[in-house]
């Protein structure tokens, strides 16, 4: 069964400029990937490249030209297909994750079942998603918190000298559960100095406090922190997890980092084998990218899938995190449609 590969570049824009410790962006170029079989059934996926990991929409398009030569004859041959794609291009995970999602979408559509049902999962088991408050002026941070009133959990971007002021501004607006994400913006000394503040502010967990390769610093921090530490930039694939044992309490999986849905499943299994917690996260994505990850939510402890909820306009309909509740589609495959 020959598959035809096509793609389209999409531009998405956030309602507010999205600031993290590494910088601020508002417009993002994404790649909508489609695989069409001989019967005209289409599988969809989205590539959400990050310059931090060396990918852009243009590198995705270039990678697709090569990856298209390694598509499976049988789309149901998912494990071998993903292995072949990874062997063809190792360092283009966003491009490969789009093809992985498209293959799974196609298989689900051929079978007439949503992906979560194909995997034997219970959508009701999905934890609530948080909603991210990006770095901004204190007045805008307060406004964002008020506008996110429907969400029971907030993730606050930190990693600057203004961390105390930002967290105090958040706490002036709400007493709901908050998480912090430094995006590797602290040194060990800075992180240690902030621990009392984070406890005082009732923070639930700390995501990626230190530089990705500072494993010794993470070990020191974890030895004194009463708050769980979650690795994001430090953990791309399952192969990274064993070296993180003892340095962090959990990992954040993102499809654009790990390269495929089946690699995400392996990461969950490896993390559980090491008694580590699991978060499923996202880049800035439309509902097409978010929905692919959302089908994994019944298997994880923390959900951070607010990418599409932060957009001015979402070109797709799929999984929802309205009010923090993860709602998975019931349509076959990923269950995503165009608006």
């Amino acid at each position: 069964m020959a598959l035809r590969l096509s793609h389209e570049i999409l531009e998405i824009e956030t309602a507010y400029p999205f600031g993290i410790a590494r910088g601020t962006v508002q417009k993002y170029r994404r790649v909508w990937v489609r695989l069409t079989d001989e019967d005209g059934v289409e599988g969809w996926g989205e590539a959400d490249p990050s310059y931090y990991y060396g990918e852009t929409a243009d590198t995705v398009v270039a990678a697709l030209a090569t990856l298209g030569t390694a598509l499976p004859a049988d789309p149901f041959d998912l494990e071998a297909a993903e292995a072949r794609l990874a062997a063809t291009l190792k360092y283009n995970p966003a491009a490969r994750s789009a093809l992985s999602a498209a293959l799974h979408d196609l298989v689900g559509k051929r079978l007439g079942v949503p992906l979560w049902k194909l995997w034997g999962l219970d959508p009701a088991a999905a934890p609530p998603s948080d909603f991210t408050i990006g770095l901004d002026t204190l007045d805008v941070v307060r406004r964002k918190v008020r506008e996110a009133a429907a969400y029971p959990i907030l993730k606050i971007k930190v990693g600057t000298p203004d961390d105390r002021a930002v967290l105090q501004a958040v706490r002036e607006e709400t007493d709901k559960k908050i998480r912090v994400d430094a995006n590797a913006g602290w040194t060990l000394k800075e992180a240690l100095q902030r621990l009392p503040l984070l406890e005082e502010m009732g923070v639930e967990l700390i995501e990626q406090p230190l530089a990705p390769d500072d494993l010794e610093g993470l070990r020191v921090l974890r030895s004194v922190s009463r708050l769980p530490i979650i690795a994001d930039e430090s953990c791309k694939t399952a192969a990274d997890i064993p070296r993180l044992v003892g340095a962090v309490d959990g990992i954040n999986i993102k499809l654009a980092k790990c390269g495929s849905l089946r690699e995400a499943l392996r990461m969950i299994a490896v993390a559980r084998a090491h008694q580590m917690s699991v978060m499923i996260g996202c880049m800035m994505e439309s509902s097409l990218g978010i929905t692919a990850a959302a089908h994994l939510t019944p298997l994880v402890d923390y959900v951070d899938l607010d990418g599409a909820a932060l957009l001015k306009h979402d070109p797709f309909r799929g999984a929802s995190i309205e009010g923090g509740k993860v709602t998975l589609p019931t349509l076959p495959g990923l269950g995503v449609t165009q608006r």
Side-chain angles (χ1 to χ4, degrees), residues 223-278:
S223 71
V224 297
S225 175
R226 285 186 281 194
L227 306 179
I229 298 172
I230 306 296
D232 180 0
E233 286 89 339
S234 294
C235 187
K236 299 176 186 175
T237 68
D240 296 318
I241 296 174
R243 70 190 182 101
L244 290 167
V245 174
V248 298
D249 299 281
I251 61 165
N252 185 356
I253 299 170
K254 293 178 181 174
L255 297 182
K257 286 190 305 178
C258 73
S260 78
L261 284 160
R262 305 186 81 73
E263 179 63 19
L265 288 169
R266 280 188 288 274
M267 292 180 76
I268 293 170
V270 174
R272 297 304 189 202
H274 289 289
Q275 291 81 52
M276 298 169 79
S277 60
V278 179

Side-chain angles (χ1 to χ4, degrees), residues 40-56:
V41 180
E42 282 191 353
W44 294 358
E46 179 177 324
D48 299 292
S50 168
Y51 70 90
Y52 185 78
Y53 298 108
E55 287 188 278
T56 66

Side-chain angles (χ1 to χ4, degrees), residues 167-188:
L167 290 172
Q168 286 177 335
V170 171
R171 277 296 177 230
E172 288 169 6
E173 297 294 334
T174 184
D175 61 357
K176 66 179 59 172
K177 186 181 295 185
I178 62 173
R179 302 163 179 171
V180 298
D181 182 4
N183 287 109
W186 294 330
T187 64
L188 175 59

